[in-house]
């Protein structure tokens, strides 16, 4: 009955979804300013219409290899509580509705990445959609970073 | 009956709470500061009057809002001050202590009100101890008011007021009169310093509604809210006798007096008004404009009823006291208040943000203008564009300066809370200390003022606890028993300097050195200047206090003070002389919002260095950079200047080819200097400081970010923390 509306994007061959209510906007990659001495997954900061917001590389955060920027690369600007930040993804794929019954809790050993970022796994036919737990994306449980 | 009037009178008192809090907090501050002054200066009648007034209006406002505990306390305090004022008692230490305790208690109560909680704090004990002080005095006061009231009742003539009734309203009046119902003109006089006049009017209206109906209120609620009216009039339909009406209204606190007169027909009134001597001021105006009562002599001839009533009714000492100039100064104060307005800080911040955005956009325009000029240098239009840009730039500078000035607050607002602190601490430690304040008018940005309080308090606590010696020790050292702590502030270029000096024993440098060595903060053989040793106390994990007292040394070390100041882009330094005392010098930027910056290039990156900390720039041959103990240094006019390479510091990629010369930006804070090795200088520019947000707070060496004309984000270096970093890592 209950239904979730998700914005989905891809990193490599994997597909992820975030709650559409958390997505403020989706932008092309602007010039990114490196921030020295920050966590390794912080790509830098960008100018979003006069506001400075941090950008996270989801690939680095999930322990994947870095890739070059392509035409499809985007930054998904998210709002979690009062904090606004961007996540860099390979491509934004679609907006879809997912029945909450089709969401399963994260498997204990999740797809080679740390399960603390995962809220659940959605099934759409044969497709598997990893639903992200945004509260944990920023914020530094560094012990997990090492294992990731 | 008066449905349409009810609409604009139905004001919820809750809306006034913020207003009430703001004013009450101000009054309580005044009260606290005044009490300390009273303690110093003794029975100064003007001061006592001020205190009385503060207590009085606090009581009145609290009564209106229904905060009984505050009323109980302030009422007792008011009684006490009243006795002082009338010379029935002398100022005693006990009294001051008790009254100060009252201010503390009320402050705590106000805090509860602010949290929208019920006031649960005990008050009976203080109220009764105040009554205890009062005991033995005859209650003469009551009688006096009684007589004055009966006198005035007769003295006040009926002065008809033009209520400017609408046809339907006057119809109501005529109807009521023809039915033989009572129609009254109610004249309510407010105390001269009554706060929230509109609330009194609302309350008066509500009271009357219980007995009859209010047809019209003059001046209107809106005017009462903003105006300086000292009285208002109500046109009331009521079947109760006029005395009842008066009694009912007098129960509202802070109404100075209420007069109820039968109201004549509208037309008649206009006629009587015309008939009366032309010299008479139309009374209806009085309510709106505060132009009445400029000088007592002149007005006595013009508006008889009001003046006679004023002089007889006023039970305050002002009128009787021989020092009439005092009364004038009180009036003068009232006038100056009109020139200021209170503005929500959120609105102001928004304005400042907008100006900030404009500054960015202007830099962009200038850039475009220059690019155009490079391309079409002969085109007249391009030139006029650039001229307009220059003019716009000047305007923007002025605008920005004006806006920044809006945020400037005198540092006195922070200083003023310290006399009380020092007094209490001195008592607790059995020391005799005088706190001298200087430069309270020095202005600095509101954001700085808000956060400077805690570090300052800590330093003052430290001075009281560790600086000033006990009276016995001072006598033994041949110094006056009364120790002095001086708090001074003044502008120093783009910075403000705040000095906290004491004439105490000075820091025990040997002991500091020993502790620093035992804690491994410095090496045993390290050569340090006296100043360097003194500054060791700012290192984390340092505390010289043998005994941990509850004043300072609560585990919150001086390093916290230093860190708090560094976060503001400030520095703190100590100079000390054994036996003579110590001085803590704090240097802070005046504003935290917009700064002049020098843009520097390091590899692909551009960084902004706050110009206020740039001393000079040098072009240095790489060969001249020597390494001492693995760290780069350069000789500058005979001194060694430590260098850091931003490229290494920030882990930037190494350039493929190294030029033979590099730029060095010499930055300094206080007396410490450091050279930053950069690749290029990009010129200076005004930048708006933006926060990096919660996620990227507290990065070493980064103070914030800004957006340049091309829209790219540039990081602003935090020179204070860079210098500290280098010095700490080199010490370790």
């Amino acid at each position: 009955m209950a239904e979730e509306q998700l914005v989905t994007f891809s990193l490599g061959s994997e597909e992820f979804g975030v709650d559409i209510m958390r997505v403020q906007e989706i932008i092309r990659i602007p010039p990114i300013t490196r921030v020295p001495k920050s966590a390794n997954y912080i790509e830098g900061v960008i100018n979003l219409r006069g506001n400075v917001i941090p950008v996270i590389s989801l690939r680095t955060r999930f322990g994947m290899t870095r890739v070059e920027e392509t035409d499809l690369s985007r930054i998904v600007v998210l709002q979690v509580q009062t904090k606004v930040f961007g996540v860099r993804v390979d491509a934004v794929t679609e907006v879809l509705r997912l029945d909450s019954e089709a969401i399963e809790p994260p498997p204990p050993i999740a797809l080679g990445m740390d399960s603390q970022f995962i809220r659940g796994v959605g099934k759409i036919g044969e497709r598997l959609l990893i639903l992200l737990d945004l509260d944990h994306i920023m914020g530094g449980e560094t012990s997990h970073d090492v294992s990731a | 009956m008066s449905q349409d009037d009810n609409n604009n009178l139905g004001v919820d008192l809750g809306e006034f709470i913020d207003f009430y809090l703001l004013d009450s907090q101000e009054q309580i501050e005044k009260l606290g500061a005044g009490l300390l002054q009273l303690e110093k200066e003794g029975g100064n009648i003007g001061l006592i009057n001020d205190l009385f007034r503060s207590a009085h209006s606090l009581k009145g406002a609290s009564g209106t809002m229904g905060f009984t505990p505050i009323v109980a306390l302030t009422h007792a305090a008011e009684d006490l001050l009243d006795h002082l004022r009338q010379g029935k008692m002398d100022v005693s230490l006990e009294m001051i202590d008790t009254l100060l305790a009252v201010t503390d208690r009320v402050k705590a109560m106000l805090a509860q009100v602010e949290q929208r909680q019920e006031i649960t704090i005990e008050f009976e004990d203080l109220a009764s101890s105040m009554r205890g002080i009062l005991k033995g005095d005859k209650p003469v006061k009551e009688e006096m008011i009684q007589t004055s009231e009966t006198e005035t009742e007769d003295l006040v003539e009926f002065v008809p007021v033009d209520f400017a009734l609408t046809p339907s309203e006057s119809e109501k009046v005529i109807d009521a009169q023809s039915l033989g119902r009572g129609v009254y003109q109610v004249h309510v006089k407010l105390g001269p310093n009554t706060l929230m006049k509109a609330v009194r009017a609302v309350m008066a209206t509500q009271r009357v509604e219980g007995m009859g109906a209010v047809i019209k209120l003059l001046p209107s609620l809106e005017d009462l809210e903003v105006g300086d009216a000292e009285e208002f009039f109500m046109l009331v339909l009521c079947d109760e006798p006029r005395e009842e009406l008066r009694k009912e209204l007098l129960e509202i606190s802070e109404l100075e007096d209420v007069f109820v007169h039968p109201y004549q027909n509208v037309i008649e009134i206009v006629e009587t008004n015309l008939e009366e001597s032309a010299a008479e001021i139309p009374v209806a105006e009085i309510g709106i404009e505060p132009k009445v009562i400029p000088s007592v002599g002149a007005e006595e001839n013009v508006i008889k009823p009001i003046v006679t009533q004023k002089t007889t009714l006023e039970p305050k000492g002002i009128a009787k006291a021989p020092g009439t100039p005092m009364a004038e100064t009180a009036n003068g104060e009232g006038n100056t208040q009109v020139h200021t307005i209170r503005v929500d800080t959120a609105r102001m911040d928004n304005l400042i943000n907008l100006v900030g955005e404009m500054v960015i956009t202007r830099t962009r325009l200038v850039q475009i203008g220059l690019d155009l000029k490079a391309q079409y240098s002969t085109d007249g239009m391009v030139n006029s564009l650039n001229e307009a840009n220059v003019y716009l730039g000047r305007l923007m500078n002025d605008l920005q300066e004006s806006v920044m000035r809006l945020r400037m607050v005198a540092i006195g607002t922070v200083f003023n809370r310290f006399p009380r602190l020092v007094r209490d601490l001195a008592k607790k430690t059995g020391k005799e200390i005088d706190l001298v304040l200087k430069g309270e008018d020095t202005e600095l940005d509101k954001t700085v003022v808000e956060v400077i309080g805690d570090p300052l308090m800590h330093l003052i606590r430290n001075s009281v606890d560790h600086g000033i010696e006990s009276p016995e020790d001072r006598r033994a050292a041949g110094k006056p028993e009364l120790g002095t702590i001086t708090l001074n502030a003044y502008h120093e270029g783009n910075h403000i300097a705040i000095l906290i000096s004491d004439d105490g024993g000075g820091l025990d440098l040997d002991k500091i050195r020993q502790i620093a060595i035992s804690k491994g903060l410095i090496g045993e053989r390290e050569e340090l200047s006296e100043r360097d040793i003194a500054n060791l106390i700012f290192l984390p994990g340092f505390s010289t206090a043998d005994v941990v007292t509850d004043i300072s040394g609560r585990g919150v070390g001086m390093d916290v003070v230093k860190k708090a100041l560094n976060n503001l882009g400030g520095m703190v330094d100590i100079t000390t002389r054994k036996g003579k005392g110590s001085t803590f010098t704090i240097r802070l930027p005046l504003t935290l919002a917009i700064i002049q910056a020098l843009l520097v290039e390091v590899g692909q990156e551009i960084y902004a260095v706050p110009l206020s900390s740039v001393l000079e720039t040098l072009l240095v041959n790489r060969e001249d950079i020597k390494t001492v103990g693995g760290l780069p240094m350069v000789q500058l006019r005979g001194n060694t200047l430590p260098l850091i390479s931003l490229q290494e510091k920030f882990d930037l990629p190494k350039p493929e080819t190294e030029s033979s010369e590099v730029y060095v930006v010499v930055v300094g804070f206080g007396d410490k200097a450091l050279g930053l090795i950069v690749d290029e200088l990009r010129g200076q520019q005004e930048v708006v400081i933006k926060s990096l947000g919660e996620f990227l707070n507290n990065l070493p060496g980064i103070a914030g970010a800004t957006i340049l004309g091309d829209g790219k984000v540039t990081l602003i270096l935090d020179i204070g923390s860079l210098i500290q970093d280098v010095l700490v890592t080199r010490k370790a």
Side-chain angles (χ1 to χ4, degrees):
Chain A
M1 261 118 282
E3 216 177 33
E4 283 192 36
Q5 206 170 359
L6 302 166
V7 172
T8 68
F9 54 82
S10 64
L11 292 176
S13 58
E14 285 162 20
E15 254 196 303
F16 298 82
V18 288
D19 181 0
I20 199 166
M21 297 310 288
R22 304 286 188 95
V23 177
Q24 188 180 315
E25 59 194 292
I26 297 163
I27 54 173
R28 284 176 185 278
I29 314 253
I32 299 180
T33 303
R34 249 181 47 92
V35 181
K37 302 282 177 191
S38 57
N40 67 330
Y41 56 87
I42 305 264
E43 192 130 331
V45 286
I46 58 166
N47 167 16
L48 185 74
R49 289 184 306 278
N51 291 315
V52 177
I53 66 165
V55 173
I56 300 173
S57 161
L58 271 191
R59 279 186 163 265
T60 319
R61 188 63 167 145
F62 297 157
M64 303 167 146
T65 50
R66 289 185 60 92
V67 287
E68 285 297 305
E69 184 181 330
T70 69
D71 258 4
L72 293 174
S73 301
R74 293 288 184 278
I75 288 175
V76 181
V77 179
L78 300 166
Q79 185 167 10
V80 177
Q81 280 133 36
T82 56
K83 300 167 206 159
V84 177
F85 62 94
V87 293
R88 181 176 174 162
V89 301
D90 289 358
V92 171
T93 40
E94 62 181 314
V95 175
L96 54 80
R97 285 171 197 281
L98 190 60
D99 204 277
S100 44
E101 279 165 18
I103 300 174
E104 289 173 12
I109 301 155
L111 312 157
M113 73 162 87
D114 205 301
S115 59
Q116 64 166 322
F117 306 129
I118 302 174
R119 185 160 59 89
V121 176
K123 277 188 187 156
I124 314 159
E126 289 299 294
R127 279 165 74 193
L128 279 187
L129 201 57
I130 302 165
L131 305 183
L132 292 181
D133 181 350
L134 294 177
D135 296 320
H136 284 110
I137 298 274
M138 279 301 226
E141 271 101 318
T142 35
S143 58
H144 292 288
D145 284 354
V146 177
S147 63
Chain B
M1 272 192 113
S2 54
Q3 279 294 3
D4 29 20
D5 289 315
N6 270 342
N7 292 343
N8 62 347
L9 294 178
V11 180
D12 178 15
L13 286 183
E15 286 176 26
F16 291 96
I17 282 199
D18 287 335
F19 192 62
Y20 162 78
L21 280 171
L22 211 63
D23 268 304
S24 304
Q25 277 153 356
E26 204 170 272
Q27 296 292 357
I28 206 84
E29 290 297 331
K30 265 196 211 163
L31 210 55
L35 284 170
L36 291 180
Q37 208 186 332
L38 191 66
E39 187 181 31
K40 260 190 200 170
E41 296 174 7
N44 166 347
I45 184 76
L47 187 59
I48 297 175
N49 272 319
D50 283 347
L51 290 176
F52 177 80
R53 268 198 293 276
S54 292
H56 181 73
S57 43
L58 201 57
K59 182 189 79 177
S62 309
T64 309
M65 307 298 293
F67 300 131
T68 343
I70 303 185
V71 175
L73 279 180
T74 45
H75 181 75
E78 189 190 353
D79 278 352
L80 211 54
L81 288 164
D82 193 44
H83 276 236
L84 270 186
R85 199 173 63 156
Q86 297 176 6
K88 291 180 186 168
M89 290 174 88
D90 283 327
V91 181
S92 69
L93 194 63
E94 185 197 4
M95 188 188 284
I96 300 271
D97 276 339
T98 317
L99 287 174
L100 281 175
V102 170
T103 60
D104 287 345
R105 202 70 68 86
V106 172
K107 252 186 231 173
M109 288 174 175
L110 288 175
Q112 285 192 325
V113 172
E114 195 163 14
Q115 309 277 317
R116 302 290 190 266
Q117 294 168 355
E118 198 79 354
I119 298 179
T120 52
I121 300 169
E122 172 62 23
F123 61 90
E124 207 29 69
D125 55 332
L126 265 180
S128 73
S129 67
M130 274 189 281
R131 282 194 293 271
I133 298 177
L134 261 183
K135 236 185 353 203
D137 285 308
K138 284 162 230 140
V140 198
K141 195 181 131 211
E142 301 267 315
E143 261 172 56
M144 215 179 57
I145 288 175
Q146 208 70 49
T147 47
S148 63
E149 265 175 15
T150 36
E151 269 172 44
T152 51
E153 177 67 13
D154 294 336
L155 273 167
V156 174
E157 295 164 21
F158 171 56
V159 184
V161 172
D162 182 6
F163 278 101
L165 297 180
T166 61
S168 74
E169 284 165 346
S170 41
E171 208 169 284
K172 271 185 212 162
V173 173
I174 294 164
D175 278 356
Q177 276 171 338
S178 61
L179 285 169
R181 294 186 67 186
V183 182
Y184 299 109
Q185 170 182 318
V186 179
H187 175 181
V188 179
K189 283 194 63 65
L190 301 165
N193 290 317
T194 307
L195 301 165
M196 303 186 292
K197 287 154 183 144
V199 185
R200 317 282 164 195
V202 172
M203 298 192 65
T205 322
Q206 281 169 358
R207 295 249 170 184
V208 172
E209 297 286 341
M211 309 168 75
V214 178
I215 299 223
K216 190 98 176 183
L217 178 70
L218 193 82
S220 69
L221 266 190
E222 290 79 7
D223 286 339
L224 272 173
E225 219 161 297
V226 298
D228 273 344
E230 287 178 3
E231 56 188 357
F232 59 87
F233 297 89
M234 292 188 292
L235 188 56
V236 173
L237 298 186
C238 174
D239 293 328
E240 307 282 332
R242 53 193 267 213
E243 261 315 304
E244 284 296 307
L245 195 59
R246 179 163 182 271
K247 223 193 265 170
E248 180 75 20
L249 286 171
L250 275 173
E251 277 175 24
I252 302 171
S253 71
E254 241 184 283
L255 297 192
E256 198 160 290
D257 214 339
V258 175
F259 308 101
V260 181
H261 295 285
Y263 186 73
Q264 297 168 32
N265 210 334
V266 196
I267 298 134
E268 278 172 44
I269 288 163
V270 175
E271 278 166 6
T272 25
N273 241 351
L274 286 174
E275 279 165 25
E276 239 135 27
S277 71
E280 185 140 8
I281 297 173
V283 183
E285 263 181 45
I286 294 172
I288 305 159
E289 278 179 67
K291 67 179 185 183
V292 218
I293 319 162
S295 73
V296 182
E299 92 198 319
E300 215 145 5
N301 303 325
V302 194
I303 21 168
K304 222 174 274 164
I306 293 175
V307 175
T308 28
Q309 159 214 332
K310 187 118 196 153
T311 35
T312 36
L313 179 83
E314 201 106 313
K316 301 187 177 178
I318 315 170
K320 291 166 210 157
T324 23
M326 221 242 357
E328 270 164 36
T329 42
N331 266 346
E333 269 167 34
N335 283 342
T336 51
Q337 283 176 354
V338 184
H339 298 302
T340 62
I341 52 166
R342 288 209 171 93
V343 182
D344 188 359
T345 43
R347 282 195 212 172
M348 216 159 69
D349 287 346
N350 188 30
L351 180 65
I352 286 161
N353 277 345
L354 284 175
V355 172
E357 290 303 309
M358 279 177 77
V359 171
I360 293 170
T361 316
R362 186 193 82 91
T363 359
R364 220 162 148 176
L365 266 181
V366 170
Q367 192 57 48
I368 294 168
L370 291 178
D371 290 352
L372 278 175
K373 194 173 165 78
Q375 216 167 340
Y376 315 96
S377 56
T378 49
D379 196 317
M381 289 229 296
V382 174
N383 285 330
S384 8
L385 172 72
N386 282 325
E387 273 167 37
N389 266 341
V390 170
Y391 186 59
L392 178 67
R394 268 186 232 138
L395 286 178
M396 284 302 305
N397 283 346
D398 287 355
L399 176 63
Q400 206 182 322
E401 206 170 290
S402 313
V403 169
M404 293 318 290
R405 201 164 296 155
L406 285 183
R407 294 172 56 96
M408 298 299 245
V409 186
I411 198 164
T413 51
V414 183
F415 280 8
N416 286 340
R417 58 168 135 140
F418 294 132
R420 174 72 194 282
L421 176 80
V422 170
R423 174 192 183 273
D424 289 357
L425 291 181
K427 280 204 149 187
K428 214 185 255 180
T429 51
K431 296 175 182 177
E432 288 172 34
I433 302 173
D434 189 22
L435 179 71
V436 179
L437 301 181
K438 286 181 190 166
E440 293 119 298
D441 294 339
T442 315
E443 289 188 326
L444 71 167
D445 196 271
K446 188 178 158 297
T447 44
V448 185
V449 167
E450 278 166 1
V451 285
I452 187 70
D454 281 349
L456 272 184
M457 182 176 77
H458 209 80
L459 288 174
I460 289 174
R461 277 171 174 274
N462 184 71
S463 288
V464 173
D465 208 23
H466 305 311
I468 304 284
E469 320 91 320
S470 65
E472 301 81 57
D473 289 353
R474 290 182 68 89
R475 216 178 313 135
K479 291 201 264 190
E481 285 177 24
L482 180 70
T484 308
I485 297 177
T486 311
L487 203 52
N488 191 7
Y490 52 86
H491 283 156
E492 201 182 62
N494 257 339
H495 285 74
I496 183 171
I498 304 170
L499 272 62
I500 301 133
S501 8
D502 63 67
D503 65 349
L507 295 175
D508 188 344
L509 295 178
D510 291 338
K511 193 164 147 199
I512 291 172
R513 201 191 153 89
Q514 288 308 319
I515 294 176
I517 292 172
S518 73
K519 296 201 171 173
L521 298 171
I522 54 169
E524 203 150 330
R525 262 156 235 246
E526 208 160 332
E527 288 287 332
L528 290 171
S529 69
E530 289 201 344
R531 175 177 275 197
D532 284 343
I533 297 175
N535 277 296
L536 287 174
I537 65 168
F538 289 118
L539 290 178
F542 193 97
S543 175
T544 54
D546 299 323
V547 193
V548 171
T549 67
D550 67 339
I551 294 176
S552 57
R554 237 183 307 201
V556 191
M558 296 297 255
D559 60 309
V560 177
V561 174
K562 176 148 194 159
K563 202 166 168 210
L565 292 170
N566 279 347
N567 285 344
L568 295 173
M571 280 285 276
V572 57
D573 194 25
I574 317 172
T575 49
T576 182
R577 283 180 63 199
K578 200 164 176 86
K580 301 277 184 196
S582 330
T583 298
F584 290 83
T585 308
I586 296 171
R587 282 192 184 78
L588 284 171
L590 283 185
T591 170
L592 302 175
I594 301 183
I595 57 163
Q596 286 282 337
L598 174 71
L599 300 184
V600 299
E601 219 174 282
V602 184
Q604 301 288 308
E605 309 286 329
I606 295 175
Y607 295 104
V609 185
L611 207 61
S612 52
S613 44
V614 175
L615 301 177
E616 60 183 314
T617 55
L618 315 165
L619 190 59
V620 176
N621 249 319
R622 257 183 212 281
E623 292 156 17
D624 292 336
I625 301 177
K626 306 277 187 295
T627 46
V628 180
L631 295 159
M633 303 269 176
V634 73
Q635 288 288 325
L636 177 62
R637 291 187 288 272
N639 294 322
T640 30
L641 176 73
L643 299 177
I644 55 167
S645 157
L646 284 182
Q647 174 245 316
E648 283 168 23
K649 177 88 193 154
F650 290 161
D651 305 324
L652 300 174
K654 255 191 163 7
E656 278 157 29
T657 54
E658 277 193 343
S659 60
S660 61
E661 284 178 325
V662 290
Y663 284 96
V664 169
V665 180
V666 185
V667 291
F669 236 147
D671 60 343
K672 299 186 181 72
L674 177 74
L676 308 176
I677 302 175
V678 301
D679 295 342
E680 285 289 339
L681 303 180
R682 290 279 296 256
Q684 89 181 60
Q685 195 179 340
E686 206 142 70
V687 300
V688 179
I689 300 184
K690 306 219 172 215
S691 150
L692 280 172
E694 281 171 60
F695 293 128
L696 296 172
N697 247 345
N698 292 327
L699 289 175
I702 306 291
T706 188
I707 296 169
L708 294 185
D710 61 2
K712 202 170 176 242
V713 179
T714 288
L715 301 178
I716 300 168
L717 302 186
D718 178 356
I719 301 304
S721 87
L722 278 176
I723 290 182
Q724 176 136 352
D725 244 35
V726 170
L727 294 178
V728 167
T729 46
R730 285 181 192 196
K731 284 230 167 79

